[in-house]
Amino acid sequence: PMIGSFVYESLPGRVVFGAGAIRQLSEEIAALGLSRALVVTTPAQEDLAQMVAARIGGACAAIFAGAAMHTPVGVTEQALQLVNTHQADALISIGGGSALGLSKALALRTDLPQVAIPTTYAGSEMTPILGETQDQAKTTLRDPKVLPELVIYDAELTLELPVGISGTSALNAIAHSVEALYARESNPVIRLLAAEGIRSLASALPGIAADQRDVSAREMAQYGAWLCGMCLAGAGMALHHKLCHTLGGSFGLPHAETHAVVLPHALAYNAPAVPEAMATLRVVLDADDPALALQRLGRTMGAPASLRELGLAESDIETTVERTMASPYWNPRPLERGALQETLWRAWAGTAPA
Ligand code: NAD
């Protein structure tokens, strides 16, 4: 293929990568001149926040372990009071996309520097994107203020992440790269990152399924998650994300699980329109049928197999098709009602993608 014309924007940020990298945290924050950090996390990850606080000693001003899914503004306001009371000069988040969402929401309001220590594969640490919720409405924004200044990837902190969550959060990450391969804003640099991100995650997951505490598989998965996060930051998304957004927003389906179920079907829908992306996927997934390979990867990780299993009623398929057709959205293959109905029915029933 020809290289063509494109725009590529690289984002600033320092990454410290490797099993045991958390030992460099004190040194890293001292180098940034930070001395009063607020450590934020989700309730279930409070022990990780305590560990961070113990490592940095006097440089921890306070811990806030109340981060919640979808970054509710009410929670952000509570944490903001702690920032003010302690005159915090930095934000450290540890955990998944929910912990990071709170840190980003605080950075948006205070412009404080952020250190992100991700322990899932969602990839939010690489993006200037923030989704917040207020009164059940979700808004998404892009602002350089919400991009973390420093990211520490330490695979040792991910050994307790259950196989199921590892799988769904990895498929969420892979979805960013799959859509980046055929995005309207795609470019050769992003495609390179996307291919390597998918290859790394897909090759790491079976090792994690076999042994949750396999450090080298965990490292490979984190490397893939990093690259997939860069793809979300750098390219617009298409049908797959549109469907997941509609299913999450209209029927409250869970974020990562919905991505895991829908991705093979959305890819099968787009396949005829994106031959080059399919050729790349055949290579990086080492499979003749990339959509089927992604579905099998999910099953290996014990991911849910169907939208029915996630609680969607069969009659909700039609509503989803209506809502998807109603708001125009760029996609490599035009949205055709009949084909879309078939795709959603397959995702609902959990059949092979076609
Ligand atoms: P999450 O943060 O809610 O974590 C998922 C689960 O993993 C939780 O149950 C959590 O307790 C558990 N967990 C996290 N770390 C663990 C560890 N070390 N050991 C054991 N369990 C652990 O969700 P997520 O899947 O990481 O992220 C999804 C959220 O992030 C969504 O709200 C999504 O919208 C957002 N997101 C945002 C961006 C962005 O660029 N803004 C990108 C991706 C995802």
Side-chain angles (χ1 to χ4, degrees):
M2 297 208 304
I3 196 151
S5 315
F6 58 90
V7 174
Y8 175 77
E9 190 177 332
S10 67
L11 298 171
R14 177 176 170 90
V15 174
V16 178
F17 186 94
I22 193 71
R23 289 180 207 112
Q24 294 168 59
L25 177 61
S26 273
E27 202 181 305
E28 287 287 332
I29 63 170
L32 291 169
L34 306 172
S35 59
R36 290 185 314 280
L38 176 68
V39 181
V40 303
T41 193
T42 32
Q45 276 61 58
E46 187 161 4
D47 54 337
L48 286 176
Q50 301 283 2
M51 178 277 294
V52 165
R55 282 199 176 275
I56 62 174
C60 174
I63 292 176
F64 180 86
M69 273 254 280
H70 308 311
T71 325
V73 171
V75 172
T76 301
E77 281 162 359
Q78 284 175 35
L80 200 52
Q81 286 182 0
L82 270 186
V83 170
N84 293 331
T85 312
H86 294 275
Q87 295 190 315
D89 66 357
L91 303 163
I92 301 180
S93 62
I94 183 157
S98 301
L100 199 57
L102 173 58
S103 170
K104 287 176 154 184
L106 292 169
L108 179 72
R109 291 160 175 81
T110 60
D111 209 9
L112 286 176
Q114 302 177 77
V115 178
I117 311 170
T119 64
T120 70
Y121 305 126
S124 179
E125 65 279 1
M126 283 299 141
T127 81
I129 302 167
L130 168 64
E132 296 185 284
T133 50
Q134 186 160 32
D135 307 325
Q136 268 132 40
K138 182 167 178 174
T139 51
T140 302
L141 60 86
R142 249 187 121 91
D143 190 314
K145 275 196 266 188
V146 310
L147 181 72
E149 278 71 7
L150 171 66
V151 178
I152 296 185
Y153 286 111
D154 182 343
E156 286 176 4
L157 304 179
T158 66
L159 303 181
E160 302 302 326
L161 190 69
V163 171
I165 300 178
S166 301
T168 52
S169 106
L171 282 159
N172 183 187
I174 289 174
H176 299 146
S177 284
V178 166
E179 296 229 294
L181 283 175
Y182 54 64
R184 197 170 22 173
E185 307 83 349
S186 191
N187 62 64
V189 182
I190 288 287
R191 287 194 290 273
L192 193 65
L193 297 171
E196 184 67 0
I198 297 165
R199 188 208 316 271
S200 304
L201 276 164
S203 72
L205 289 183
I208 293 171
D211 174 8
Q212 185 184 307
R213 304 186 62 86
D214 179 336
V215 178
S216 56
R218 289 293 190 177
E219 276 187 318
M220 185 62 84
Q222 268 195 323
Y223 173 61
W226 166 10
L227 303 182
C228 290
M230 291 176 81
C231 290
L232 173 61
M237 299 286 122
L239 177 67
H240 167 74
H241 280 79
K242 173 76 185 169
L243 288 176
C244 291
H245 192 93
T246 304
L247 289 164
S250 304
F251 308 107
L253 262 51
H255 182 88
E257 290 86 342
T258 305
H259 275 271
V261 171
V262 172
L263 180 63
H265 302 283
L267 178 62
Y269 181 93
N270 279 333
V274 295
E276 285 177 19
M278 295 308 286
T280 301
L281 288 169
R282 278 192 280 275
V283 174
V284 297
L285 294 170
D286 190 19
D288 292 335
D289 184 342
L292 189 63
L294 289 173
Q295 189 178 60
R296 289 198 174 134
L297 201 54
R299 307 241 158 127
T300 302
M301 302 305 283
S306 64
L307 294 176
R308 170 165 48 188
E309 215 177 297
L310 296 179
L312 193 77
E314 190 170 5
S315 57
D316 295 337
I317 294 174
E318 198 45 45
T319 317
T320 308
V321 172
E322 290 305 327
R323 296 200 177 151
T324 305
M325 302 286 299
S327 49
Y329 203 80
W330 183 84
N331 192 58
R333 177 178 167 190
L335 299 188
E336 296 158 24
R337 181 177 302 271
L340 207 52
Q341 279 165 338
E342 166 80 11
T343 295
L344 268 162
W345 185 84
R346 286 180 171 274
W348 177 80
T351 64

